[in-house]
Structure formats: C-alpha cells, structure tokens
C-alpha cells in the first residue's frame, strides 16, 4: 500500500539532459533489477515511466514499500552544488503528476522530499536542514505540496 510520494532529483548538473534510460543503466550498474524510481521528469517536462507503480521502488531506504518515487532531472548547479534547477516545464509536470497520482491512488496521504525522510535527530517532529542526510531534491517539497503525516 502506497501512502506517500517521495520526490528526488537525479543529482546531475543543470542542463544535463538525462533520460529514464540513463538512470535505468546507472541503477542496474549499482545492482538494482531496474531503475529505482517510478517516474522521471526530464528537462523538457516529459514524464517517463520507470518501475510499475504497483512494484516497490528502490529510491529511499525504509520507504520503498510505501511510496511512489518521482525523480526530476537536475538538482546540481554547474559546480556540482545542490540547487533547485527545475525548469518551468518540470515544475508544471511535477505538479500534474502529483495531482494525477493522488487521484488514482487515494491511499496517498503525504508528499515528501527525499531529505524530509532523514532521521529527526532532536525528535521535535520537524526535519531541519542540519538533520538532512542528503540535499535531495534541493527544494522545499513540504511548502510546495503541503502535506506531511506523522511518521509511522
Ligand atoms: Zn533522492
């Protein structure tokens, strides 16, 4: 049962035109049986399918059984530092995809960024930047998509 959507970036540099096939190849090199994400959003906004939504993803330790993983291409600036590099087309596609998934999967209760799944070290219920294990997806998903349920 998928109750969450988790958003990632591909951690590639701004403008680098990566496809789902590229990510599939990288993930197979890491030993996965296929791309770990369910969807990839390319620079031009094209939404590519990865794993079947009904299959568990391989994108976020501890969350793979309960989440749909979406990855937008980008996330790093030219120097390789974390940056929200989403194009206008990617923002539009991401919004549409999240809305569509929420419609077809009524079990979805929350939309998180990968970094929001980091351990809450001080236990105050908020994952603060000093607690992020990774910068991914390099933007504030909670303020854009606005839902977080208590961790189970
Ligand atoms: Zn990630």
């Amino acid at each position: 049962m998928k109750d969450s959507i988790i958003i990632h970036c591909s951690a590639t540099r701004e403008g680098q035109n990566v496809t789902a096939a590229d990510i599939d190849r990288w993930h197979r090199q890491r030993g996965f049986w296929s791309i770990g994400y369910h969807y990839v959003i390319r620079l031009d906004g094209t939404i590519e399918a990865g794993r079947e939504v009904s299959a568990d993803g391989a994108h976020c330790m501890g969350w793979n059984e309960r989440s749909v993983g979406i990855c937008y291409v980008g996330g790093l600036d030219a120097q390789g530092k974390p940056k929200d590099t989403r194009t206008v087309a990617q923002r539009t596609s991401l919004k549409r995809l999240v809305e569509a998934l929420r419609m077809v999967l009524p079990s979805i209760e929350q939309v998180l960024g990968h970094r929001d799944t980091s351990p809450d070290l001080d236990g105050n219920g908020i994952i603060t930047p000093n607690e992020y294990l990774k910068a991914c997806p390099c933007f504030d998903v909670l303020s854009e998509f606005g839902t977080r349920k208590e961790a189970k």
Side-chain angles (χ1 to χ4, degrees):
M1 172 86 107
K2 308 276 196 254
D3 71 353
S4 308
I5 293 172
I6 297 181
I7 299 173
H8 298 262
C9 63
S10 60
T12 50
R13 291 177 192 217
E14 191 160 20
Q16 196 185 333
N17 193 14
V18 168
T19 67
D22 293 321
I23 298 173
D24 184 56
R25 202 175 57 246
W26 299 338
H27 283 184
R28 285 172 196 268
Q29 284 165 358
R30 285 168 54 187
F32 301 172
W33 58 266
S34 82
I35 184 169
Y37 306 116
H38 296 98
Y39 294 98
V40 172
I41 302 179
R42 289 171 60 173
L43 298 180
D44 67 358
T46 302
I47 299 170
E48 291 191 290
R51 246 174 229 209
E52 292 281 324
V53 172
S54 55
D56 291 346
H59 56 90
C60 188
M61 191 87 80
W63 290 75
N64 287 319
E65 283 156 35
R66 59 187 279 203
S67 64
V68 178
I70 302 174
C71 173
Y72 77 92
V73 170
L76 301 179
D77 69 11
Q79 280 70 47
K81 293 212 185 73
K83 181 187 172 188
D84 180 3
T85 63
R86 288 174 299 158
T87 62
V88 172
Q90 282 177 310
R91 283 171 192 261
T92 305
S93 292
L94 180 59
K95 192 159 267 172
R96 289 206 181 124
L97 179 57
V98 167
E99 280 169 11
L101 285 170
R102 283 180 138 158
M103 216 114 68
V104 296
L105 297 172
S107 56
I108 297 292
E109 293 177 335
Q110 58 182 356
V111 183
L112 303 171
H114 188 182
R115 66 189 188 187
D116 300 311
T117 65
S118 305
D120 182 17
L121 298 177
D122 63 7
N124 71 347
I126 301 164
I127 310 300
T128 44
N130 62 301
E131 293 169 332
Y132 294 162
L133 293 178
K134 297 186 160 202
C136 177
C138 310
F139 74 96
D140 188 3
V141 173
L142 297 180
S143 68
E144 237 169 86
F145 291 94
T147 49
R148 182 187 177 99
K149 289 242 332 182
E150 290 303 304
K152 283 175 187 165

